Amino acid sequence: MIKFIRENSSAIVKFIITHIVMSVLGIMLGLAILTLENDTPGISPIALIGSAFTIGFMCFMHYDDMFFIAVKEGIRVRTEGGKIDIFKGLKITLIAYAPVMLIGIIVIIANLFGSEDSSAITLLLYYAFQGSFISLYKILQYLGVVGYVILTLIPAIVASSLGYAIGAKDKTLRGLMGMDVAPPFDGPLERKPKNKK
């Protein structure tokens, strides 16, 4: 485990930094959105739009980071005649995301076994790391704390893991969906140079 962390420290740090930046953006935008919300039940259209932007942007950034990390690593591994592990992105993500997941577990425990005050404090701490979801706080009314925590942990894990798996195979989402993508962004990047005459 320590060896894996040391070998992939740059990817782990990149994930953490990206997530912090996206969380800060989500908090800034989310607080502005919440001032425009009224007390009517349900999620307002502006909260849905704002959440779609912040969560989508966060997922894009995680996907993009892992995609390019995997592309470079895929070239290196194939050049050396090895086989790349497409699940490596998931492993990196789970390690980098471990502090947030731990806080999520604490939130769930505090909600199930603690007081209302302790649950509120831990949930506030969770929002500090998952700021992209702050505008969707009313989902708590429908899913409860456990469902909310699980739901908000999934997007970053899926986006990062998918980005690495696709990048490792030297493909793109657009290419896999049948859209034309000019090389070198779809297909092998490690092309052999043509012989000079």
Side-chain angles (χ1 to χ4, degrees):
M1 176 67 79
I2 294 172
K3 183 183 177 184
F4 182 86
I5 293 171
R6 188 165 54 245
E7 289 175 348
N8 299 281
S9 58
S10 60
I12 292 168
V13 169
K14 196 171 186 66
F15 179 97
I16 292 169
I17 291 172
T18 296
H19 199 74
I20 290 171
V21 171
M22 291 298 101
S23 189
V24 170
L25 174 66
I27 290 168
M28 289 167 51
L29 199 61
L31 291 177
I33 289 167
L34 294 180
T35 60
L36 300 174
E37 274 209 312
N38 50 37
D39 294 329
T40 56
I43 302 167
S44 68
I46 191 166
L48 282 173
I49 294 167
S51 298
F53 172 76
T54 56
I55 296 167
F57 194 24
M58 176 199 71
C59 288
F60 168 77
M61 291 301 294
H62 281 312
Y63 173 90
D64 196 55
D65 287 345
M66 283 296 183
F67 174 82
F68 284 107
I69 288 169
V71 166
K72 290 177 183 176
E73 190 159 329
I75 292 171
R76 180 185 60 78
V77 171
R78 285 189 292 272
T79 302
E80 295 170 357
K83 187 178 180 182
I84 193 164
D85 178 12
I86 61 170
F87 296 106
K88 189 175 180 181
L90 176 61
K91 298 170 193 173
I92 291 170
T93 302
L94 292 176
I95 291 169
Y97 212 28
V100 180
M101 290 190 289
L102 178 62
I103 293 168
I105 292 168
I106 292 170
V107 170
I108 291 171
I109 292 170
N111 179 256
L112 295 176
F113 304 106
S115 64
E116 287 187 12
D117 289 340
S118 64
S119 180
I121 290 168
T122 54
L123 194 57
L124 188 62
L125 180 64
Y126 185 71
Y127 277 130
F129 291 89
Q130 292 283 73
S132 298
F133 299 90
I134 196 168
S135 298
L136 291 180
Y137 76 99
K138 285 187 178 179
I139 286 183
L140 283 163
Q141 300 169 4
Y142 307 102
L143 299 179
V145 172
V146 177
Y148 180 81
V149 169
I150 292 170
L151 180 70
T152 54
L153 286 173
I154 291 172
I157 295 173
V158 171
S160 298
S161 303
L162 187 64
Y164 192 94
I166 292 175
K169 291 192 171 290
D170 207 5
K171 297 293 181 183
T172 64
L173 273 179
R174 288 177 297 165
L176 291 173
M177 289 187 288
M179 299 178 190
D180 290 331
V181 183
F185 300 107
D186 194 41
L189 294 179
E190 57 271 35
R191 301 176 189 279
K192 293 180 181 179
K194 293 179 181 178
N195 293 328
K196 293 182 180 179
K197 292 182 180 179

